[in-house]
Structure formats: structure tokens, C-alpha cells
Amino acid sequence: MAWTLALVLVLLLAWPVGLLIWANGKIEHVDALSGTPDSGSATTYLLAGSDARGGADGIPDDGTLGARTDTIMLLTAPAHGPASLISLPRDTYVDIPGHGPAKLNAAYAYGGAPLLVTTVEKLTGLHVDHYAEVGLGGVAEIVDAVGGVTLCFGPKVDKVTFPINDPDSGLVWQAPGCRKVEGTTAVAFARMRKADREGDIGRARRQQELISAVSGKVSQKSLVLQPARQVALIDAGLGALRVDQHSTIVDLGHLALAFRAATGPGGVRGTPPIANPDYRPGGVGSTVELDPDKTPAFWKAVADGTLEPGSVGGLG
């Protein structure tokens, strides 16, 4: 009996360590960070959802050259104050270094992760400490690995037209309400914008809803006693993930804690202040114009942790 108890104790102690070593070895790295000096105390993660990875469940091929980023978020953990998860609309009008005025997601198409990071730093004034990129097909695999998630269209929140039958994203949704969905439908839910009268703003809200739903399933205490499910989830997640050249599994753990704080009741979620969701400066089509008068103070408050918990941004 004594040796059996000793063996059980060793396994319980060694399993998390072994899992960390195994997971750390599976991480794929990419040069992404700008190398600019960091004078602030906040830790900021740039999270990108790309069609460059993720297999058959990602974005369908529509003939567009180069990879794109449908999801661009800044997760910031300040030294003091609430953590925040801020979605940057992919059509945000920006000046891309070396390329001039364009939509934000064009930065990734032009120069991959490094140019996206540089462009976001220039746009926000924040220093990006870590970068994480996940293929949208990988998101589908993660949703399936947790057994599906419940997502909702609320008539008081979502400005959408029903029934939804959007060929671009593949989303079919007959009426307002909640449904438990599998991975492919979850990705379509996060990508759809054509049936949304708020366009990118509504899509950003759904992307955050999807991530919160997945986080809620992953953080269930029952997973502690299910090593096989832990391995399956880590394998699904890391299989579609690339991080900056310096990040380790420990950094991803800090990211997860910051994300939980940002999406919890004491966190900050939303978008930057938006002046015009259909800004047409010429030459780049319809873009999203951030409010030039409000955004400098907004980004400073993000870094300083002085924003009030809850929803922020949107149209002023």
C-alpha cells in the first residue's frame, strides 16, 4: 500500500511538470517583435487570428493573395488596475510603415507578423511585449476539443438581420437566441459581418464572445483530473499557434491569466473610440476611422490601468 501511495504522489507531482516540458517543446516560434525599447510597466500581447494556418476549417480560398488577419486584439495587463482586451477592427485606417495608408490587416499581408506588430505599435503608442497568432482552423479544432460552446445573438445587443445566411463566412442562423455550436460554426460566428449593421464593430464583439466561451470551458476545474483531455486541448491549441521568438509556455500561462482577468467581471473589453465606421479616404475603400481626439488618451488609460471595468469604445 505504501509504495502505491508513493507512486500516486509522484505521478500527481510529476504530471504537471512533464506536461509543461512537453508543451514547451511543441511551441512554434516566429520573428515578430519590433525590438523597440519598452519604457512602460504594462505587459501587452498582440493576438492575431490568421487564415495562414489551420487547415480546412479556416477561411475559404477566395483568390486573395497573401495571408490575412480577421482578428486583431490587444490584451494588456497593467501594473495596477484592470486588464483589458481591445479589438482593433481589421479595416482600421492606418499608415503602414513603408507602404502608406491602408487597412490594418494589410500590414500582415505586406510583411507578416513583424510589420503587423510595428504598425500596431505606431497606431496605439503601446509597446508589444508578446505576439500570438492562431489559425482560424485551429480555433475550430479547439472548440471541438472542448465539446462545443454556447454562442448567442441577442436582439438588444447585436444589430443583425435574420435569418442569417452569409456565404462569405458560411454562417446560417435563423433567429435571435443561443445555440451550442461546433468548431466550424463557431468560426463562422466570429467572422460574419455582412449581415451585421455594425460591420467590424459587431464582429469584434462576437470574436470576444467566442474567446470567452472557449476560456470558460477550458478553465473548468474538472479538467485537472482529466490528463487525456488536457493533452488533447494543448495539442489542438499549440498545433495552430505561433508565438514570438522569446515567448515560452510560461509566458502563455501569463497570457491566459491576463485574458481571464480581462474577460471577467473586473476586466475591460471593447474597441477603441471610433469616429466613422465607413470612412472613405480614397484609394482603399471603406475603412474604420478611429477617433483622433479620443484615442491617445484611451491608449494611455489602457497602459496605466485607469479605465473603468466593463465595455468601452465603439462609436462616440
Side-chain angles (χ1 to χ4, degrees):
M1 176 66 71
W3 70 267
T4 303
L5 290 175
L7 178 60
V8 170
L9 180 61
V10 169
L11 289 174
L12 287 174
L13 292 174
W15 168 253
V17 176
L19 188 64
L20 285 175
I21 294 172
W22 171 78
N24 200 60
K26 289 183 67 66
I27 295 176
E28 182 178 347
H29 293 89
V30 59
D31 287 339
L33 302 182
S34 65
T36 56
D38 181 12
S39 58
S41 58
T43 300
T44 296
Y45 306 82
L46 176 56
L47 313 178
S50 169
D51 67 333
R53 301 165 58 77
D57 292 321
I59 300 175
D61 182 12
D62 61 2
T64 301
L65 297 177
R68 293 147 293 169
T69 45
D70 257 27
T71 306
I72 305 168
M73 297 181 180
L74 282 175
L75 172 65
T76 302
H80 305 284
S84 63
L85 182 66
I86 305 301
S87 293
L88 291 169
R90 71 169 195 174
D91 289 344
T92 299
Y93 184 67
V94 297
D95 182 64
I96 299 177
H99 296 272
K103 298 178 181 180
L104 177 58
N105 72 335
Y108 190 94
Y110 291 151
L115 187 55
L116 178 62
V117 168
T118 300
T119 303
V120 168
E121 288 185 335
K122 181 179 179 181
L123 174 69
T124 66
L126 299 177
H127 179 271
V128 174
D129 299 281
H130 298 284
Y131 173 85
E133 172 191 317
V134 63
L136 294 184
V139 173
E141 292 177 7
I142 294 168
V143 170
D144 289 337
V146 300
V149 294
T150 298
L151 301 173
C152 303
F153 276 105
K156 294 182 179 180
V157 176
D158 299 290
K159 295 179 174 59
V160 298
T161 302
F162 293 99
I164 298 172
N165 188 359
D166 179 48
D168 288 344
S169 66
L171 182 66
V172 176
W173 203 288
Q174 295 300 323
C178 299
R179 284 168 45 188
K180 185 175 181 180
V181 301
E182 37 61 52
T184 301
T185 301
V187 170
F189 176 91
R191 291 192 60 237
M192 190 280 294
R193 66 170 180 165
K194 292 293 179 66
D196 192 321
R197 294 187 294 279
E198 289 186 301
D200 254 0
I201 299 173
R203 174 162 59 181
R205 185 167 54 245
R206 283 188 297 280
Q207 289 170 350
Q208 293 191 6
E209 180 182 344
L210 170 59
I211 297 174
S212 296
V214 172
S215 298
K217 296 291 288 286
V218 171
S219 63
Q220 291 177 352
K221 294 180 180 179
S222 60
L223 278 176
V224 175
L225 302 177
Q226 301 180 61
R229 285 197 67 198
Q230 292 178 37
V231 171
L233 285 170
I234 293 174
D235 200 36
L238 294 182
L241 183 71
R242 299 197 304 175
V243 299
D244 65 84
Q245 59 269 42
H246 302 303
S247 287
T248 66
I249 196 69
V250 174
D251 294 307
L252 292 181
H254 290 156
L255 186 158
L257 291 174
F259 189 91
R260 184 180 299 179
T263 57
V268 177
R269 298 166 303 281
T271 69
I274 293 171
N276 186 351
D278 188 24
Y279 180 54
R280 298 176 181 269
V284 294
S286 175
T287 69
V288 175
E289 181 190 22
L290 301 187
D291 192 317
D293 298 323
K294 296 180 180 179
T295 49
F298 174 82
W299 294 121
K300 186 177 187 305
V302 164
D304 293 343
T306 56
L307 290 173
E308 291 295 324
S311 299
V312 296
L315 290 172

